Amino acid sequence: LTWCVCSLAQGQTDAFDNLDLVNLLDVEVVTASATSQRSSDAPSTVWAVSREQIQRRGYQHLEDLLEDIPEVEIQRRSSSEMNNHISIRGISGNEKFVILMDGFRVNAPTGTPHAVATNYSLANATRVEVILGPASALYGADAFSGIIHIITRTGDDVDGAELEGSYGLYNTTDSHVVAGYELADDISLAVMANVYSSDEPDFYNLYPDDYAWYNDRYSQDGTVLGFDEMGEIVETEVELRPWDASTYSYMAGARLQVKGLQVGFLRHFERHSSSAGMKPEFNLHVKDARYAMAINSLYLNHNYAGADDRFSLQSSLWYGTYELNPGSNFNNIFSGFEDAYKYSATSGMRFREQLTLNLFENLSVILGGQLGFQQALPKTGDLPRPFDPNESTAAQELEYIGTDGDDRILQDFHNVSDRNLAGYGQVMFEPVDWAKTTVGARYDHNTRYGGELSPRAGLVISPIDDLKIKLLYGEAFLQPSPYKTYQHYGSFAETPTGFVGPFWHLPNSDLEPEELRTLEASLFYFLGDYARIYLGGYATFIDNLITDDKGITGRTFKGAIVFGADEPQNLGESTIFGGSFRVDAVLDVGPLTLEPFVSYSFVDGELDGIRVRDMDGDVVETRNNVTLPFAANHTIRAGLDTTWNDLSISLRGLHRSETTHPELGLDDQDQTNEAFLLLRAFARYQLLDTESFGGAIWVKADNILDSRYTNVSFASFEAFTATPQDPLR
């Protein structure tokens, strides 16, 4: 339960002024087709959330907002690396969608999966646009399952300073500052910073059955389960250390606007337990087991508009970096319960030129080109000591864990670089006033994995007033990231005959891009000026799906015999079907303004080409029709925002049916969590609101029923199939 808090703002806008239906539910969006248009006219399924809704519902971070978006599913606390694991339309993976801020990428530059949690603050957001479905025709690689675009306020929009701080259960603090000013005519500056810190719940007390091993064994005598030299799981004892699962994150940025020139910078950092979602018999939940990452984005953009706005030219330069903090550390069965450090560093630069031609009132054309450079040191193997970014890899002489003697085996470090050249075009044509067509394509050529063509087509028709029907087709591709291609992990054990590897995840440099095709149809129907109905469905087909080929035997790595191995390969195919129904309304009832919404989403699908091996490592079966993981068949979301003068109250609920784990159980049956209902509440009261000063106090409660529920984990035997989740917060 988070209490209080003061929001002090100079020149604060009236966040709780009533909005009409069109302005609230059919807002102008820019992400779907790189031009401004109503969301109901965009050639994509797009959900836009305004600043007013962000404040009314208490969305502090991106993860809060996404859980109310149809066809987005978050498995919280399910991944030791990413913390949250996100699926969009049944396509799982934090690297399979692009996050933009003010038109520029703010996730990892080379497709490295990373945390999407409290490190993405919405403190200065004026709108968030969520595009569902493929977007490679405009945005290239990684725009596979969708786009999330955070649009922020300029300095003159802020026009003052805002400060907010909060304190809640489990020693949780969440604070931000936003300041912005118009420095001169057509020159403005906005800056912001947000810091989140929490001890997080003590799950061993809240879920005693799941953490029985921690309570009865580890906390008593340090007993855990590890590999012996032959790869068998046996009991062993390690040093006793206190429980720690704390989280820390921050985000800081600035945006300078000088007429048509825009310069921006953003840095966000997130650190969480690297034993998140993991069983205590295989992983230590201690202070040193931490996974931390930082992403920097710097961009420069210039817009030149011709006379009468008949054409515009946008020139932009973007530079981004991702670094896995050298102190990132696993302490688990794979590292032999020794400190196993990780490191990764990637960077990218992209120059883009885009020409928009408004040839006629009913015809516009976009032509663009992009040149990009990327380089990466992909995630290393388990390191016995922290990596030194200021020293060469060779000079550090880092060995693989378990080989610290005279015959130690030195680590492999993969330095990867590539160039990408892309060209794209889009034509938007309105042949009659009730039909809009969009046709476009993009071609990318990469020096590492070759060429990819991504076409799209859309038709939006309005056969009667207040009804919009969309028919859409799109393709996308996902690059085989350096992370997925070259990451490897495991440990060695020394025997009288030499080193052996009980288990290794091996690299594979021959991976190819995953490819996707989506067909979808939807309709928006406006009931007068008080309600909107959405109904949509889609079918998605994925080829060259990268999956881990598990249970491989008879391999060697660095000259040592490996008893069991995994290796990523383009083995799979996937077919996904789904859709959503949603109703939004805005109702004035006397002095009250009510904004209810309810949605139902369905998704189903299967994976083909999953290999099954016997104890000797031989392929005995290729499984098809495997249940789609990380995707609940049925999800219901509902909410009610109530505003009365200076008081707003928001109640929201999420019901999700069981979700399937990617690993089959010992009886070859699906492993799942249980269906659950989660309720949230937020109330905000405006204490004061004058032209020069304002203040507010709020209270927020998540999981108000204090339910014990679970999400599906990302890992296999070393993790909970169903990961315990937060109690009342």
Side-chain angles (χ1 to χ4, degrees):
L1 188 64
T2 300
W3 290 99
C4 174
V5 184
C6 290
S7 177
L8 305 177
Q10 178 184 0
Q12 179 171 306
T13 58
D14 294 329
F16 298 101
D17 286 350
N18 293 337
L19 294 175
D20 60 39
L21 180 77
V22 172
N23 288 329
L24 185 66
L25 302 179
D26 197 18
V27 299
E28 295 277 343
V29 297
V30 297
T31 314
S33 56
T35 189
S36 180
Q37 58 195 156
R38 290 285 180 185
S39 60
S40 63
D41 290 329
S44 298
T45 298
V46 53
W47 298 102
V49 183
S50 68
R51 178 167 178 79
E52 290 77 12
Q53 291 170 317
I54 290 170
Q55 288 195 324
R56 285 187 180 124
R57 297 172 186 172
Y59 297 144
Q60 292 172 280
H61 307 103
L62 186 59
E63 62 176 356
D64 303 327
L65 182 148
L66 291 178
E67 282 206 312
D68 281 345
I69 301 297
E71 300 167 9
V72 177
E73 185 169 343
I74 302 179
Q75 311 295 335
R76 292 181 182 249
R77 302 191 185 280
S78 65
S79 170
S80 60
E81 295 185 22
M82 286 82 74
N83 202 354
N84 297 335
H85 185 72
I86 299 177
S87 299
I88 298 179
R89 288 186 165 179
I91 302 170
S92 70
N94 292 18
E95 78 281 14
K96 294 186 177 181
F97 54 89
V98 174
I99 303 177
L100 305 175
M101 182 170 285
D102 299 321
F104 291 87
R105 184 182 182 118
V106 290
N107 54 343
T110 61
T112 301
H114 60 86
V116 180
T118 54
N119 52 325
Y120 285 98
S121 170
L122 300 180
N124 194 36
T126 189
R127 186 172 72 254
V128 177
E129 299 176 7
V130 181
I131 308 296
L132 304 179
S136 288
L138 278 177
Y139 296 97
D142 308 341
F144 198 67
S145 62
I147 299 281
I148 299 167
H149 191 180
I150 303 170
I151 299 168
T152 68
R153 293 177 293 171
T154 61
D156 53 344
D157 290 333
V158 178
D159 190 26
E162 300 173 2
L163 174 67
E164 181 170 297
S166 66
Y167 183 82
L169 288 175
Y170 307 108
N171 198 29
T172 300
T173 61
D174 194 359
S175 306
H176 75 250
V177 59
V178 178
Y181 300 94
E182 186 175 21
L183 305 178
D185 289 343
D186 296 324
I187 302 176
S188 66
L189 175 67
V191 297
M192 69 80 58
N194 183 92
V195 179
Y196 173 92
S197 177
S198 178
D199 291 342
E200 306 298 352
D202 49 344
F203 288 100
Y204 61 94
N205 283 325
L206 295 163
Y207 293 85
D209 292 339
D210 294 284
Y211 286 89
W213 188 282
Y214 179 88
N215 294 322
D216 301 336
R217 302 297 302 276
Y218 174 78
S219 65
Q220 303 301 314
D221 56 16
T223 300
V224 291
L225 296 179
F227 290 124
D228 67 11
E229 63 183 24
M230 301 304 293
E232 300 294 328
I233 295 178
V234 296
E235 289 190 8
T236 186
E237 290 187 6
V238 298
E239 177 188 1
L240 275 175
R241 286 187 274 175
W243 173 278
D244 190 298
S246 58
T247 300
Y248 174 77
S249 67
Y250 67 81
M251 175 173 150
R255 179 183 180 185
L256 175 66
Q257 193 88 28
V258 183
K259 295 186 178 180
L261 178 68
Q262 178 182 333
V263 181
F265 171 77
L266 183 75
R267 175 180 173 86
H268 56 94
F269 173 91
E270 201 266 1
R271 183 182 67 220
H272 62 268
S273 172
S274 58
S275 296
M278 299 296 170
K279 294 180 179 178
E281 55 264 46
F282 298 121
N283 303 264
L284 300 187
H285 295 75
V286 296
K287 184 176 182 179
D288 293 336
R290 286 287 173 270
Y291 207 79
M293 63 204 72
I295 296 176
N296 297 310
S297 301
L298 176 66
Y299 65 86
L300 184 151
N301 183 67
H302 182 264
N303 278 300
Y304 175 77
D308 301 325
D309 291 329
R310 296 297 297 271
F311 78 92
S312 63
L313 183 65
Q314 182 187 75
S315 305
S316 61
L317 179 66
W318 169 87
Y319 177 73
T321 66
Y322 162 90
E323 183 180 38
L324 180 60
N325 188 280
S328 294
N329 179 10
F330 289 94
N331 199 309
N332 57 28
I333 184 173
F334 297 115
S335 70
F337 292 97
E338 297 183 39
D339 289 334
Y341 296 93
K342 294 286 189 180
Y343 184 72
S344 175
T346 69
S347 63
M349 179 180 291
R350 293 170 193 172
F351 174 73
R352 184 182 66 199
E353 199 76 28
Q354 180 174 295
L355 175 65
T356 301
L357 301 171
N358 297 310
L359 300 178
F360 304 100
E361 186 176 344
N362 63 345
L363 176 64
S364 65
V365 176
I366 293 176
L367 299 172
Q370 180 175 289
L371 176 62
F373 305 90
Q374 296 184 152
Q375 59 183 19
L377 173 62
K379 191 177 75 170
T380 65
D382 294 329
L383 304 176
R385 299 175 296 281
F387 186 88
D388 185 351
N390 300 315
E391 194 173 354
S392 70
T393 56
Q396 297 184 57
E397 294 189 341
L398 290 161
E399 73 274 7
Y400 286 105
I401 288 179
T403 69
D404 55 355
D406 294 336
D407 298 324
R408 62 182 181 160
I409 303 175
L410 294 181
Q411 289 266 346
D412 282 342
F413 293 98
H414 300 275
N415 291 291
V416 184
S417 62
D418 63 54
R419 296 186 307 276
N420 195 89
L421 182 63
Y424 58 93
Q426 176 179 275
V427 177
M428 302 185 71
F429 179 53
E430 188 175 347
V432 291
D433 58 7
W434 50 269
K436 298 178 175 66
T437 62
T438 302
V439 178
R442 172 170 167 146
Y443 181 77
D444 286 80
H445 185 271
N446 188 279
T447 55
R448 189 161 60 87
Y449 54 81
E452 290 288 336
L453 178 67
S454 305
R456 74 182 300 197
L459 172 64
V460 181
I461 60 175
S462 182
I464 60 173
D465 290 343
D466 299 326
L467 174 65
K468 300 285 182 69
I469 298 174
K470 298 184 182 183
L471 302 173
L472 309 172
Y473 174 78
E475 296 185 14
F477 72 101
L478 181 73
Q479 64 175 331
S481 66
Y483 168 94
K484 191 157 285 188
T485 302
Y486 292 104
Q487 76 151 327
H488 57 289
Y489 53 85
S491 61
F492 289 104
E494 190 169 8
T495 70
T497 59
F499 290 112
V500 298
F503 169 84
W504 272 91
H505 179 88
L506 302 174
N508 180 5
S509 60
D510 295 325
L511 293 177
E512 298 176 354
E514 299 182 10
E515 298 175 341
L516 172 149
R517 294 167 291 126
T518 292
L519 290 162
E520 60 180 296
S522 62
L523 64 82
F524 287 89
Y525 184 65
F526 291 86
L527 296 172
D529 58 357
Y530 62 89
R532 180 189 67 178
I533 297 173
Y534 165 83
L535 177 64
Y538 61 88
T540 296
F541 309 93
I542 303 175
D543 298 319
N544 273 354
L545 186 66
I546 298 173
T547 62
D548 284 340
D549 189 6
K550 297 178 178 290
I552 301 172
T553 62
R555 288 288 187 91
T556 61
F557 181 64
K558 306 297 288 185
I561 296 174
V562 176
F563 293 114
D566 292 352
E567 182 182 67
Q569 295 186 21
N570 294 99
L571 293 173
E573 297 179 351
S574 182
T575 303
I576 306 170
F577 299 93
S580 291
F581 173 77
R582 176 163 171 146
V583 178
D584 296 87
V586 179
L587 307 171
D588 289 321
V589 182
L592 299 178
T593 298
L594 306 178
E595 296 173 26
F597 71 88
V598 61
S599 71
Y600 165 75
S601 298
F602 172 80
V603 62
D604 196 10
E606 59 188 35
L607 302 177
D608 296 333
I610 306 302
R611 289 180 179 175
V612 180
R613 296 176 178 269
D614 61 20
M615 295 297 292
D616 297 323
D618 297 324
V619 177
V620 295
E621 181 185 357
T622 299
R623 282 196 171 127
N624 297 318
N625 306 318
V626 176
T627 303
L628 190 70
F630 304 117
N633 286 147
H634 311 283
T635 303
I636 298 173
R637 297 170 171 88
L640 175 62
D641 301 339
T642 303
T643 304
W644 180 53
N645 295 328
D646 294 325
L647 174 67
S648 69
I649 298 175
S650 177
L651 302 174
R652 302 184 344 267
L654 170 68
H655 171 75
R656 212 158 68 197
S657 65
E658 64 181 26
T659 302
T660 302
H661 190 276
E663 301 284 341
L664 293 176
L666 296 177
D667 54 0
D668 283 346
Q669 298 298 310
D670 288 337
Q671 301 182 89
T672 65
N673 67 338
E674 294 183 355
F676 64 84
L677 172 65
L678 187 63
L679 299 180
R680 300 181 171 99
F682 180 81
R684 187 178 193 272
Y685 182 71
Q686 191 78 26
L687 296 170
L688 180 67
D689 190 7
T690 69
E691 186 176 344
S692 60
F693 188 81
I697 186 170
W698 55 257
V699 59
K700 179 180 181 180
D702 290 333
N703 189 6
I704 60 178
L705 298 179
D706 198 22
S707 302
R708 298 294 180 264
Y709 71 104
T710 58
N711 282 176
V712 170
S713 70
F714 182 67
S716 53
F717 75 91
E718 75 277 15
F720 293 108
T721 298
T723 304
Q725 296 297 301
D726 284 0
L728 171 69
R729 295 293 298 265

